[in-house]
Amino acid sequence: MNKNIQAIVSIALIFFCFNASAQNKYTISGSIKDKKTGEALIGATIKVADKPLLGAASNEYGFYSLTLPAGNYKLLVNYVSYKEQELSVTLDKKTTLDISLESEETQLNEVTVRSKANNITSAQMGMDKLDIKEINMIPVLFGEKDVLKTIQLLPGVESVGDGSSGFYVRGGAADQNMILLDEAVVYNPSHLLGFFSTFNSDAIKDVTLYKGTAPAQYGGRLSSVLDVKMNDGNYQDYHVSGGIGLISSKLNIEGPIVKDEGSFLISARRTYADVFLKLSKDTTINKSRLYFYDLNTKLNYKLSKKDRLYLSGYFGQDDLGLANLFGLSWGNATGTLRWNHIVSDKLFSNTSLILSDYSYNINVNNAGISATIHSEIRDWNLKEELELFANPNNSIRFGVASIYHTITPGNITGSGIINSTQPDKHTWENAVYVSNSWKASSKLNIDYGIRLSTFSIMGGSNFYDLNTDGSIKDTLHYGSGQVVKTYVIPEPRISGSYMLNEVSSLKAGYARNTQYLHLISNSTTSNPTDKWISSNNIIKPGIADQLSLGYFRSLKDDRFEFSAETYYKYMQNQIDYRDGANVLDNNAIEPKLLFGMGRAYGLEFLLKKKTGKITGWVSYTLARSELQIPGINNNIWYPARQDRTHDLSVVGIYQLNKKWTVSADFVFYTGNAVSFPSGKYEINGYPVFYYTERNGYRMPAYNRLDLSATKQLRHRKRFSSELTFSLYNAYGHQNPFVITFKDDPNDPNKTQAVQTSLFRWVPSISYNFKF
């Protein structure tokens, strides 16, 4: 029945859009690019001058298509921070027109920071777009410009903790965020235990965050999708840029393979703390390792007027080690081979073959024991998506995706120990989707669609049957390649905007999301040794249904933008751990887990100043996130560890003059929910702490001020350079990273709470150049 419904909906959508077209209409199509670099511009608009409701926007690859009645038109082409281009076109046949836009020079004493999407008219809810120039102005830890740290300053997005690149979105856990780099999943987006993210801003073109109401082409996580796209490289000229900081340096090289036909990009970054370790006379220290590197590469080439091929990759590795006694290394590798094909002036095709791989290794060599722990998750993903520009009022996407997951558990091998290995676990995830962006009237825009996902668990490893108390009742065996169980879940999505007047709108949205992979961790932050596990016969897929409402308004001739959004999210099949469970050993995980439901709800405010000498924003979130899981907290609702009542961020950027730009950000948020001991007792003379409520206590509230100043040293046509000074945690507030408990040495009957803080004042300086 579900398949029949899907077929009917798909046919109805396509029929509707084709039926809406009429005779004597012609299509103008092509690409919109940056004139100087040849980079495709995402979301550039082309509209009829006297009929602004008639128009189109370029897709992720710069392609646009606009169908109009025959006639003479004046077209206006716009993109944020680019000069408007006016074109006179006579439509009496199909027309191909490639458009190059020229970037505006920043005016003296004024900066412009704008959203790339018109949040007033767009039907999409819970979406934020970040400009890379904006990211580069915001002060962060050690002076490194960081995508993941910047999105934590947006409403509805919360930092996991000090120095961490992990984040929570609308009450969801950290593993409920899908992070994509050129369509490839990045499973661990952090370096140096979270102090840096894997994203080098020099290699990034576009950053879009969807907070639970993503379009139908996205799936696999409950809370959000962070879609990051790499630069293509300069099609016109060769350029080298880079930066030298206190603990890391980076280099970026780009240029044409053949001018206007193809380009390349190579962007690399490495820390060098390990170089200073070698200066020590202590052999344990000078043989230790402490560094990370990452490498972004991209090639693309125009095969014909209708075909372009892209090949992009990311490779990153962290290595921490204490001489040859202990070592911890982890890293991501992604690769995307993509073929764009213009089927017709109305139909655009994108075919992708994608690899995602994340692994970690722990090496121990001490006291006669030599052991290695290895874990890995690898995906092969094949996608085909078609985008149909049916008419000015309808744009349809439909596609299929197939992902084969292979998970290697934490296998332990070595000498002097008992080896413990498990066979790889294999699963197969598939999806088919269709969606339509519909301009229903001059005031109403609607995006609607549905995604049908399936998840098959394959045999070849152990499966379990559990007793009511969670103990293993029986071990089940299935042959390699045999399907153990298949989940089939429809995921409908709809959102819409209604224009109240020319400057304000109301929006509403509903979305269902499904998650088949889960991260197992018993820490408050994400660690590289956390395990990914798949849904199986016991662990069911997580399902989240989110309803959201919003009010959006442009103020003072579009110099300011205000939004208020509220949401309610109901979550099924949520996971938490039995009291005292050790989830990181190599034994069966299922007996250690409990399952239930969750709910998250909140109110988000954003006020943004987009133009002038001073730009920035203020965001505030009031929210709750709770779980109800039988067997925990007497079966009543309790706060999830990501529950945070208040979250405030203030960001300001001020251009003093042609040479100097200063910026600051201030953050305040309620402390995370934690489980502290409620008492203690003794067993054989040793203290044992007693715990009652799950997450019944709070960490102290967090607050921090960061400052930054950038001086332009040179700005010539062929060479520019700048110095950036920053101070993280400017007033030195000691925010708690962790709180532990121990006996008072002066009175064992009393207990001390000991707070550990990571950063007090962290100054940094970096030199950046481009030629």
Side-chain angles (χ1 to χ4, degrees):
M1 177 61 76
N2 283 337
K3 293 182 178 179
N4 292 336
I5 293 175
Q6 296 299 312
I8 292 171
V9 171
S10 302
I11 293 171
L13 286 173
I14 296 171
F15 174 80
F16 168 79
C17 293
F18 277 119
N19 194 49
S21 61
Q23 294 181 351
N24 300 323
K25 288 187 176 183
Y26 299 99
T27 299
I28 180 172
S29 63
S31 62
I32 304 177
K33 298 181 178 181
D34 181 297
K35 182 177 181 180
K36 185 177 181 181
T37 67
E39 283 270 2
L41 298 180
I42 304 172
T45 60
I46 178 168
K47 296 183 178 181
V48 178
D50 56 346
K51 297 179 180 179
L53 294 178
L54 290 178
S58 59
N59 67 6
E60 298 92 322
Y61 313 102
F63 179 80
Y64 75 92
S65 175
L66 179 61
T67 301
L68 298 169
N72 297 318
Y73 294 94
K74 181 188 292 184
L75 301 178
L76 302 178
V77 187
N78 283 281
Y79 190 68
V80 173
S81 299
Y82 283 71
K83 295 177 182 178
E84 182 179 73
Q85 189 170 143
E86 184 178 302
L87 302 169
S88 295
V89 177
T90 299
L91 273 186
D92 54 9
K93 60 181 179 179
K94 291 182 180 180
T95 302
T96 300
L97 179 63
D98 294 330
I99 303 168
S100 296
L101 295 183
E102 187 175 353
S103 177
E104 291 181 340
E105 293 294 332
T106 303
Q107 297 179 14
L108 180 63
N109 299 331
E110 181 175 304
V111 294
T112 302
V113 178
R114 297 180 181 175
S115 169
K116 291 183 181 178
N118 188 337
N119 282 335
I120 309 302
T121 58
S122 169
Q124 185 65 52
M125 284 207 68
M127 181 183 73
D128 290 294
K129 273 187 171 289
L130 292 179
D131 192 300
I132 298 301
K133 295 178 182 178
E134 185 177 67
I135 293 172
N136 289 337
M137 294 178 184
I138 296 174
V140 292
L141 183 62
F142 299 124
E144 285 287 325
K145 310 306 179 184
D146 200 307
V147 169
L148 297 188
K149 297 292 197 308
T150 303
I151 67 168
Q152 294 170 15
L153 301 172
L154 298 173
V157 184
E158 303 166 349
S159 167
V160 165
D162 214 355
S164 174
S165 57
F167 58 97
Y168 305 130
V169 176
R170 291 190 170 178
D175 71 315
Q176 294 176 0
N177 305 309
M178 174 74 79
I179 299 174
L180 301 173
L181 179 62
D182 272 5
E183 301 184 83
V185 176
V186 179
Y187 279 99
N188 188 338
S190 63
H191 286 305
L192 290 183
L193 304 176
F195 296 143
F196 298 87
S197 83
T198 56
F199 299 115
N200 182 351
S201 61
D202 287 352
I204 302 305
K205 174 170 64 176
D206 186 80
V207 181
T208 306
L209 176 69
Y210 299 95
K211 295 181 286 191
T213 53
Q217 63 263 34
Y218 298 102
R221 297 295 186 272
L222 298 186
S223 293
S224 76
V225 175
L226 181 66
D227 192 356
V228 181
K229 292 182 170 60
M230 290 171 52
N231 286 324
D232 294 337
N234 197 306
Y235 291 78
Q236 305 296 323
D237 202 0
Y238 296 98
H239 288 281
V240 177
S241 61
I244 302 172
L246 292 179
I247 66 170
S248 70
S249 293
K250 55 187 178 180
L251 185 67
N252 188 78
I253 304 172
E254 60 180 328
I257 299 173
V258 176
K259 193 172 182 179
D260 294 325
E261 299 294 321
S263 65
F264 73 90
L265 168 75
I266 302 173
S267 187
R269 178 175 57 161
R270 192 190 192 279
T271 58
Y272 30 71
D274 56 315
V275 176
F276 298 103
L277 295 179
K278 295 183 184 300
L279 301 177
S280 174
K281 295 180 180 180
D282 188 325
T283 56
T284 301
I285 296 177
N286 61 34
K287 292 183 179 180
S288 296
R289 305 176 306 280
L290 178 61
Y291 70 90
F292 76 79
Y293 72 85
D294 48 35
L295 175 67
N296 295 80
T297 61
K298 193 167 187 177
L299 301 170
N300 74 90
Y301 194 79
K302 186 177 181 181
L303 302 176
S304 69
K305 291 183 178 180
K306 294 186 176 183
D307 298 276
R308 183 174 290 275
L309 198 64
Y310 298 82
L311 177 63
S312 61
Y314 168 82
F315 311 92
Q317 186 75 25
D318 284 71
D319 196 354
L320 311 179
L322 182 62
N324 63 346
L325 302 177
F326 174 81
L328 171 61
S329 62
W330 70 94
N332 296 277
T334 71
T336 304
L337 177 62
R338 184 168 59 235
W339 169 42
N340 286 173
H341 176 61
I342 301 174
V343 181
S344 71
D345 55 358
K346 291 186 177 184
L347 188 61
F348 184 90
S349 168
N350 179 59
T351 307
S352 301
L353 177 63
I354 306 161
L355 167 68
S356 297
D357 185 278
Y358 171 71
S359 65
Y360 72 78
N361 290 282
I362 302 174
N363 297 295
V364 179
N365 187 10
N366 193 21
I369 296 176
S370 178
T372 298
I373 303 174
H374 172 75
S375 182
E376 184 174 5
I377 179 169
R378 174 176 292 181
D379 297 344
W380 284 102
N381 182 5
L382 180 62
K383 293 175 57 179
E384 169 59 32
E385 180 175 279
L386 296 169
E387 187 171 7
L388 175 66
F389 300 86
N391 54 54
N393 295 325
N394 292 273
S395 176
I396 298 176
R397 285 179 186 256
F398 45 98
V400 295
S402 182
I403 309 173
Y404 192 77
H405 304 281
T406 301
I407 298 178
T408 301
N411 291 333
I412 304 173
T413 57
S415 60
I417 61 168
I418 299 174
N419 290 349
S420 177
T421 62
Q422 295 184 19
D424 291 348
K425 298 182 182 297
H426 302 280
T427 55
W428 189 20
E429 182 176 354
N430 294 281
V432 58
Y433 58 87
V434 60
S435 64
N436 183 30
S437 294
W438 176 32
K439 297 178 183 178
S441 70
S442 60
K443 293 186 175 183
L444 181 63
N445 292 315
I446 298 175
D447 290 349
Y448 59 98
I450 189 166
R451 179 185 183 90
L452 183 70
S453 62
T454 69
F455 191 81
S456 298
I457 299 97
M458 314 303 291
S461 60
N462 291 335
F463 297 87
Y464 304 99
D465 186 14
L466 302 184
N467 294 308
T468 55
D469 63 355
S471 60
I472 295 177
K473 180 180 179 181
D474 192 13
T475 300
L476 310 176
H477 300 281
Y478 295 86
S480 179
Q482 184 178 354
V483 176
V484 178
K485 187 177 180 63
T486 297
Y487 294 96
V488 180
I489 302 177
E491 304 174 39
R493 289 103 185 263
I494 184 169
S495 60
S497 66
Y498 181 79
M499 297 295 296
L500 300 174
N501 49 50
E502 292 183 352
V503 296
S504 63
S505 67
L506 290 175
K507 295 187 183 183
Y510 164 77
R512 165 170 281 197
N513 292 284
T514 302
Q515 181 164 337
Y516 298 103
L517 301 179
H518 316 277
L519 189 64
I520 298 300
S521 171
N522 57 3
S523 65
T524 56
T525 60
S526 296
N527 292 318
T529 54
D530 294 341
K531 293 182 180 180
W532 284 94
I533 62 171
S534 70
S535 298
N536 55 32
N537 59 318
I538 294 175
I539 303 172
K540 296 180 180 180
I543 300 174
D545 294 276
Q546 179 174 290
L547 179 66
S548 52
L549 301 170
Y551 173 73
F552 297 77
R553 186 176 180 87
S554 175
L555 304 166
K556 300 290 184 180
D557 296 325
D558 202 33
R559 286 178 290 174
F560 292 84
E561 186 177 284
F562 172 78
S563 65
E565 292 187 64
T566 184
Y567 65 90
Y568 182 88
K569 180 162 57 176
Y570 172 70
M571 295 170 282
Q572 304 175 52
N573 305 324
Q574 297 301 283
I575 300 175
D576 211 335
Y577 316 115
R578 295 181 184 270
D579 293 333
N582 178 10
V583 300
L584 298 182
D585 61 24
N586 206 30
N587 297 322
I589 191 67
E590 289 84 351
K592 304 168 186 178
L593 305 179
L594 293 171
F595 309 95
M597 58 185 177
R599 63 188 181 193
Y601 47 94
L603 184 61
E604 303 168 0
F605 297 95
L606 177 65
L607 177 63
K608 190 169 189 176
K609 187 175 186 295
K610 304 194 293 184
T611 62
K613 293 180 64 175
I614 300 176
T615 59
W617 68 85
V618 178
S619 72
Y620 171 71
T621 304
L622 175 68
R624 291 300 308 271
S625 180
E626 300 171 305
L627 296 170
Q628 186 183 50
I629 296 181
I632 299 177
N633 208 41
N634 296 319
N635 302 337
I636 63 175
W637 289 96
Y638 63 95
R641 65 185 182 188
Q642 64 268 19
D643 178 64
R644 191 172 293 166
T645 309
H646 304 283
D647 198 309
L648 172 69
S649 298
V650 182
V651 177
I653 303 167
Y654 179 41
Q655 186 164 344
L656 289 170
N657 51 47
K658 188 176 181 179
K659 292 286 187 180
W660 283 95
T661 301
V662 296
S663 60
D665 63 66
F666 172 78
V667 295
F668 170 89
Y669 56 76
T670 304
N672 288 347
V674 292
S675 297
F676 286 153
S678 301
K680 67 178 181 180
Y681 54 91
E682 281 192 4
I683 296 181
N684 297 327
Y686 292 96
V688 177
F689 290 105
Y690 173 67
Y691 293 84
T692 54
E693 295 179 82
R694 180 74 62 95
N695 297 339
Y697 295 86
R698 291 277 174 184
M699 296 285 280
Y702 182 99
N703 61 90
R704 190 189 77 242
L705 173 69
D706 306 325
L707 303 174
S708 178
T710 299
K711 183 181 181 181
Q712 186 79 47
L713 299 178
R714 287 190 177 185
H715 187 66
R716 302 287 188 268
K717 183 177 181 180
R718 302 299 300 179
F719 181 81
S720 62
S721 61
E722 64 181 23
L723 272 178
T724 299
F725 308 88
S726 66
L727 181 59
Y728 183 88
N729 198 9
Y731 54 78
H733 183 65
Q734 292 183 291
N735 291 295
F737 179 71
V738 66
I739 294 178
T740 57
F741 296 86
K742 66 178 184 179
D743 287 343
D744 188 329
N746 298 318
D747 185 356
N749 294 319
K750 296 181 179 179
T751 301
Q752 287 183 336
V754 181
Q755 174 179 307
T756 300
S757 300
L758 288 181
F759 308 109
R760 196 158 189 183
W761 297 282
V762 184
S764 63
I765 181 173
S766 60
Y767 171 75
N768 301 300
F769 61 89
K770 183 175 183 179
F771 60 87

